Amino acid sequence: MMLPAKPFYLKPLLLAVSSSLLLAACYKHAPEPATNQPQNATDISIWPQLTLPIAQDSATEQGITKLMAGMTLAQKIAQMIQPEIRDITVADMRKYGFGSYLNGGGAFPNDDKYATPADWIALAESMYQASIDNSLDGSSIPTMWGTDAVHGHNNVLGATLFPHNIGLGAAHNPQLIEEIAKITAREVMVTGIDWVFAPTVAVVRDDRWGRTYEGYSEDPEIVHDYAAAIVTGLQGAADKDFLGAERVISTVKHFVGDGGTVGGDDQGDTIATEQALFSIHAQGYVGGLQAGAQSVMASFNSWHGEKIHGHKYLLTDVLKDRMGFDGFIVGDWNGHGQIPGCSNDNCPHAALAGLDMFMVPTPAWKPLYENLIAQVESGVIPISRVDDAVRRILRVKLRAGLFDKPSPANRPLSGKTELIGSAEHRAVARQAVQQSLVLLKNNNTLLPLNPKQRILVTGEGADNIGMQSGGWTISWQGTGNSNSDFPGGSSIYAGIQQAVIAAGGSVELSTDGRYQSKPDVAIVVFGEQPYAEGNGDLDNLEFQRGNKTDLALLQQLKADGIKVVALFISGRPLWVNPELNASDAFVAVWLPGSEGAGVADVIMAQADGSVNLDFRGKLSFSWPATAQQQVNRHDTDYQPLLPYGFGLRYGEASTLSNALSEQIEQRNQLTDLVIFERAPRSPWQLQLQSGNDTAMVTSSIQQLAAISSRTFDKDVQEDARRFEFDGSSNATLSFISPFPRDLRAYAEADSQLTVLVKRQGNVPANVTLGMGCGDNCSGEVNISSALAAMQENQWQPLAVNLRCLQQQGMNVSQVFKVLSIQSSGELNLSLADARISPANNERHTAVACQ
């Protein structure tokens, strides 16, 4: 079922824009325009001049001027520094007076995952008191704490976890979204935190992106409206309880174009035209700023090759000057360090471009602080730029009442732990689950299920709250959690069990599809495992590529003559044609969060067989027809499997064929994946490890205890590296990436990992070459014999088949470490080239698989 295509520019905006700019501030339904606009040509008139709801007032501005007049340069720079709780102490806050601090995903007070709300409050209170203690730094400006509460207060055990944004987008309900944000603000305020890094307003154009589930839609229409709703829910209405006692500061992120990178590459390059950058990717900022958002987070991505963290035109000329944003711009996790010529501890370019606050969550905060001071004193950074940044930060703190509010432990909601995960809050989350579900297939009106039947519930996701909650759940990646980590929550199975038992039916839970007695119907809950950010990047959209265990389960149940209902947990639409064919009914449940019982409310009928709740969800992302297809609403050649806006209701006929094509189309011919050629190739970085110590290689000569690295000339200047292992401890050279690469296509192409090496001297008995896929996940082979057989001081290729590494335990869909060579003995080994080559390219005799 398609929603009526109502042009966005005919819909009323949630907040007024001046009439002359109304059309400019709205998304124009059209494919991204192809223009001959040069990459370095810009057109500021594309961007609207917004009338924002929170106007500057002279008394506040005069107060800021007076306050700043008494501030030293060091105090001003401290306001621009945002360290992380794992890298600073309360004593550091007292000494430096940081303007803010954060906890990243998986960071907890006292490094304790099971920290109580009281522990969170205690840390907030200690940091606050240290910030206003002027005994050391001379400053009494209160600090503020920022956190990623992206689907509820997701770092705190027992908090209400809402569906991730992709599910909320399917609900098409801005009023519900505002209520969710309001609840999130309340639970955050209970723990003494002032500031939330939400909403994410990325308009996702390539579902291979690992952050797809953080987007509400591929279409800016929903994103615009939801941004305004979320900001209002978090901060309060601009003309009512704006930043009151139960509200937090919001952050609209990530400015701008994060959902439009080439290939869905996290932190990659967006090459949209400027018109498309605004009309597609910036609509969330129009909605969010018009609702009064007080902070904006800069994005990791580039626009036509220039990193946003260092993009003066976009940060200053567009966002601040043209659109009128007078809050502050905060960076993302060391994003400033990605600007060419910058590092995490030294980056005047970001400040000059318009970044007001550096998020620097490593020990690099201290040299960055010192360098910024020195750069102002030397004239590299004008003091006027610092004053502008500090004025913006202080303006937001004053608007938020931080100078006047009680300390975190004494605020109205502080310590009211009964609000965290309260029944009232969970009821709203359960409602959100109900409205987010999308029915893709329902043969012979199998759903809703009569609860009086014999029902089998199976699949890895059936009784797994962590899996159904996805990434950004307690830990950054959402991994390492069990059902006991979600007190008060409910799994999908628990909701089904409750409904069936109440109606007098029978239900059996099985992890592998086996059953004691043959059921009338089987509910199979399966899908993606949790991930966050670049860890979820894919090279195509085929589900469970190379590992069809869930498909086999569906097919086995069908072969047994059992009706099958598929509940698909995912953070994006995926190519699941085989799974659709093997199912009688298929529901996209997305990532529902802690209230899995909301699924049963919709798929289970009442005891008398009547509908309990109908499906309401409609696709806010087009569903792909092939594993290679990247398709978005309003594309010129728009042929998805299921269109934007699709979603069956009860009583409507299923439209999908039961014999969808399961053929994987011919993939583009693979070329060599170069790891090292004269130097490490992006995204790979060279790392040395000795014992438990690691260091990134940043110079031509570098040593770390038992291993050293030095460049030298093979064919041209410094095109090779010599590594010397002294044997004093176990040592490793590795080529790593902060985010994994999906290399399944190379494994399927029977590829080899090949290095061009030269040895000098003897070879110890245990030298391994391998790859890594995370903690306790790797594959390696011993290459000692192969090295020893080489002629000394002669360059020779050495190859290992990827399939061999897979047999040793390597998961090639999650490659963090693409090449490692490890030795515990003395070894002198030089490297001139490293690459992964598919079978159609040059082949070498491979090391025997052990």
Side-chain angles (χ1 to χ4, degrees):
M1 296 287 291
M2 282 288 289
L3 293 177
K6 185 175 183 181
F8 187 32
Y9 52 79
L10 296 181
K11 290 187 65 178
L13 292 176
L14 292 177
L15 294 167
V17 191
S18 63
S19 58
S20 63
L21 292 167
L22 180 60
L23 190 60
C26 300
Y27 170 56
K28 301 175 180 66
H29 273 328
E32 182 178 321
T35 75
N36 295 320
Q37 179 187 26
Q39 292 181 9
N40 60 351
T42 55
D43 182 0
I44 199 74
S45 68
I46 288 171
W47 304 85
Q49 295 173 297
L50 301 178
T51 301
L52 302 181
I54 307 299
Q56 294 182 20
D57 68 271
S58 58
T60 298
E61 296 305 310
Q62 289 172 10
I64 295 172
T65 299
K66 183 176 181 181
L67 183 60
M68 290 178 60
M71 294 176 69
T72 65
L73 175 59
Q75 290 168 346
K76 291 176 179 178
I77 296 299
Q79 289 297 305
M80 299 173 66
I81 298 292
Q82 183 184 73
E84 210 247 7
I85 61 173
R86 288 173 287 193
D87 299 307
I88 58 167
T89 63
V90 172
D92 289 328
M93 179 64 76
R94 182 173 290 108
K95 179 177 180 180
Y96 293 96
F98 305 113
S100 67
Y101 61 103
L102 82 148
N103 67 286
F108 315 99
N110 308 315
D111 287 326
D112 181 8
K113 173 181 176 178
Y114 299 100
T116 66
D119 295 326
W120 289 81
I121 295 165
L123 180 58
E125 180 70 11
S126 296
M127 288 293 190
Y128 175 90
Q129 294 296 344
S131 72
I132 62 173
D133 179 350
N134 63 5
S135 61
L136 295 180
D137 68 339
S139 173
S140 57
I141 298 172
T143 191
M144 54 186 175
W145 183 346
T147 191
D148 281 291
V150 296
H151 66 132
H153 198 6
N154 45 261
N155 295 287
V156 176
L157 266 67
T160 308
L161 300 182
F162 298 92
H164 269 294
N165 290 351
I166 191 169
L168 299 181
H172 294 261
N173 189 343
Q175 291 73 34
L176 175 63
I177 276 26
E178 182 177 334
E179 183 64 20
I180 287 171
K182 180 179 179 181
I183 289 169
T184 300
R186 295 183 79 199
E187 295 201 12
V188 167
M189 288 297 288
V190 169
T191 57
I193 296 175
D194 319 277
W195 178 17
V196 165
F197 301 141
T200 297
V201 296
V203 177
V204 182
R205 308 297 284 179
D206 191 322
D207 299 345
R208 292 174 293 182
W209 188 34
R211 304 189 78 159
T212 295
Y213 66 79
E214 295 188 57
Y216 301 109
S217 178
E218 69 190 28
D219 190 291
E221 179 176 354
I222 297 173
V223 177
H224 173 280
D225 292 356
Y226 272 24
I230 290 277
V231 169
T232 300
L234 291 172
Q235 294 189 166
D239 58 352
K240 293 180 182 177
D241 59 338
F242 185 72
L243 291 174
E246 297 189 5
R247 306 291 186 167
V248 294
I249 300 165
S250 72
T251 306
V252 189
K253 66 181 188 181
H254 309 84
F255 189 82
V256 59
D258 49 345
T261 60
V262 175
D265 182 22
D266 190 48
Q267 306 186 15
D269 192 17
T270 297
I271 58 173
T273 64
E274 187 171 6
Q275 179 62 59
L277 193 67
F278 167 66
S279 62
I280 294 176
H281 297 287
Q283 289 307 302
Y285 301 93
V286 174
L289 266 57
Q290 288 177 314
Q294 291 298 292
S295 69
V296 170
M297 185 177 291
S299 185
F300 281 123
N301 68 277
S302 306
W303 183 46
H304 289 288
E306 185 174 351
K307 281 290 181 181
I308 301 294
H309 275 70
H311 208 300
K312 180 181 180 296
Y313 173 73
L314 290 175
L315 296 184
T316 298
D317 299 350
V318 169
L319 181 59
K320 293 180 176 180
D321 296 344
R322 177 70 175 182
M323 298 178 75
F325 175 62
D326 68 355
F328 64 85
I329 301 175
V330 62
D332 207 342
W333 192 275
N334 281 331
H336 58 277
Q338 296 187 12
I339 301 170
C342 286
S343 60
N344 293 346
D345 58 10
N346 192 349
C347 192
H349 189 72
L352 293 170
L355 194 71
D356 301 310
M357 185 180 290
F358 289 79
M359 184 186 289
V360 54
T362 61
W365 66 261
K366 189 173 183 181
L368 177 67
Y369 164 83
E370 294 167 345
N371 284 329
L372 287 170
I373 291 173
Q375 285 152 2
V376 175
E377 290 175 338
S378 66
V380 173
I381 302 174
I383 188 62
S384 59
R385 172 73 272 271
V386 172
D387 285 345
D388 172 64
V390 175
R391 175 174 290 275
R392 289 170 175 275
I393 295 166
L394 295 178
R395 181 182 293 132
V396 173
K397 289 186 175 185
L398 284 164
R399 287 173 174 171
L402 296 186
F403 287 86
D404 304 316
K405 285 180 178 177
S407 65
N410 296 293
R411 292 172 187 166
L413 295 184
S414 183
K416 292 190 174 182
T417 56
E418 66 274 12
L419 294 176
I420 294 182
S422 70
E424 177 188 359
H425 293 176
R426 291 187 185 277
V428 175
R430 188 162 175 166
Q431 180 186 5
V433 174
Q434 296 160 3
Q435 295 188 19
S436 69
L437 308 176
V438 182
L439 181 59
L440 304 185
K441 180 178 181 178
N442 193 20
N443 286 353
N444 302 315
T445 61
L446 177 60
L447 295 177
L449 294 177
N450 189 318
K452 293 183 178 180
Q453 300 180 89
R454 294 188 304 274
I455 298 175
L456 173 70
V457 184
T458 187
E460 191 172 4
D463 194 29
N464 192 331
I465 304 177
M467 181 174 169
Q468 75 192 33
S469 296
W472 290 108
T473 299
I474 306 177
S475 65
W476 174 40
Q477 292 297 313
T479 54
N481 299 319
S482 64
N483 283 1
S484 62
D485 293 326
F486 301 91
S490 59
S491 68
I492 293 173
Y493 165 71
I496 296 169
Q497 180 190 40
Q498 183 180 25
V500 172
I501 291 175
S506 67
V507 62
E508 181 181 352
L509 175 66
S510 167
T511 56
D512 59 6
R514 297 178 185 178
Y515 45 82
Q516 298 296 321
S517 59
K518 186 175 179 180
D520 298 310
V521 64
I523 301 173
V524 183
V525 190
F526 66 102
E528 291 189 292
Q529 293 298 316
Y531 55 82
E533 301 195 26
N535 289 25
D537 282 3
L538 298 173
D539 71 348
N540 74 51
L541 296 177
E542 180 184 355
F543 173 64
Q544 267 197 346
R545 182 167 159 199
N547 174 24
K548 296 295 185 180
T549 54
D550 291 324
L551 177 60
L553 175 58
L554 294 167
Q555 291 173 335
Q556 180 58 55
L557 291 166
K558 288 280 283 184
D560 289 349
I562 301 168
K563 296 294 185 183
V564 175
V565 176
L567 302 181
F568 187 51
I569 296 171
S570 74
R572 56 190 142 202
L574 290 168
W575 187 76
V576 287
N577 281 17
E579 290 79 9
L580 282 163
N581 287 340
S583 306
D584 296 287
F586 196 102
V587 182
V589 300
W590 312 113
L591 300 169
S594 63
E595 306 313 300
V599 176
D601 295 336
V602 179
I603 70 167
M604 303 302 298
Q606 296 188 32
D608 63 3
S610 62
V611 171
N612 183 43
L613 289 175
D614 202 349
F615 281 89
R616 291 187 51 176
K618 304 289 182 180
L619 292 179
S620 59
F621 287 79
S622 305
W623 203 277
T626 72
Q628 303 290 338
Q629 186 182 46
Q630 303 304 319
V631 59
N632 293 292
R633 187 187 189 192
H634 304 300
D635 285 352
T636 303
D637 184 22
Y638 184 66
Q639 298 182 41
L641 178 69
L642 295 169
Y644 177 98
F646 180 90
L648 296 173
R649 291 182 182 270
Y650 286 139
E652 294 178 341
S654 193
T655 58
L656 278 177
S657 166
N658 294 313
L660 296 170
S661 171
E662 299 184 11
Q663 184 68 37
I664 297 291
E665 69 273 29
Q666 183 66 38
R667 299 186 178 97
N668 294 331
Q669 183 172 339
L670 290 174
T671 58
D672 285 1
L673 176 68
V674 180
I675 302 164
F676 179 87
E677 188 177 52
R678 300 190 183 183
R681 289 294 187 91
S682 179
W684 310 111
Q685 299 171 286
L686 178 57
Q687 180 190 71
L688 303 180
Q689 180 170 354
S690 178
N692 294 322
D693 297 327
T694 61
M696 304 308 298
V697 174
T698 58
S699 65
S700 59
I701 303 174
Q702 193 160 332
Q703 180 163 357
L704 178 68
I707 185 171
S708 64
S709 168
R710 183 187 187 101
T711 59
F712 69 96
D713 300 350
K714 176 182 176 285
D715 298 316
V716 295
Q717 184 177 352
E718 295 188 289
D719 62 341
R721 280 190 176 267
R722 180 178 298 113
F723 298 93
E724 295 186 17
F725 301 75
D726 69 11
S728 62
S729 69
N730 197 35
T732 310
L733 69 94
S734 302
F735 290 88
I736 67 170
S737 170
F739 298 109
R741 287 286 303 274
D742 181 357
L743 300 184
R744 285 177 291 186
Y746 284 91
E748 292 163 1
D750 193 24
S751 299
Q752 292 183 325
L753 172 59
T754 305
V755 292
L756 183 62
V757 294
K758 178 177 69 173
R759 73 167 179 89
Q760 292 177 281
N762 296 327
V763 178
N766 189 26
V767 180
T768 61
L769 182 149
M771 301 173 74
C773 40
D775 294 338
N776 302 313
C777 180
S778 64
E780 59 186 32
V781 295
N782 192 329
I783 59 171
S784 292
S785 297
L787 289 175
M790 290 181 175
Q791 187 173 349
E792 192 172 359
N793 289 319
Q794 296 294 316
W795 290 104
Q796 296 180 59
L798 188 152
V800 175
N801 291 334
L802 290 195
R803 288 180 179 174
C804 175
L805 297 177
Q806 286 181 290
Q807 293 172 17
Q808 305 301 318
M810 181 63 200
N811 177 4
V812 293
S813 70
Q814 291 273 303
V815 180
F816 287 93
K817 186 183 297 181
V818 73
L819 167 63
S820 66
I821 297 176
Q822 178 176 289
S823 176
S824 55
E826 290 187 34
L827 176 68
N828 187 321
L829 189 69
S830 298
L831 175 70
D833 190 276
R835 64 188 60 225
I836 296 176
S837 302
N840 57 306
N841 292 3
E842 184 180 3
R843 303 289 285 179
H844 302 284
T845 301
V847 176
C849 194
Q850 299 144 12

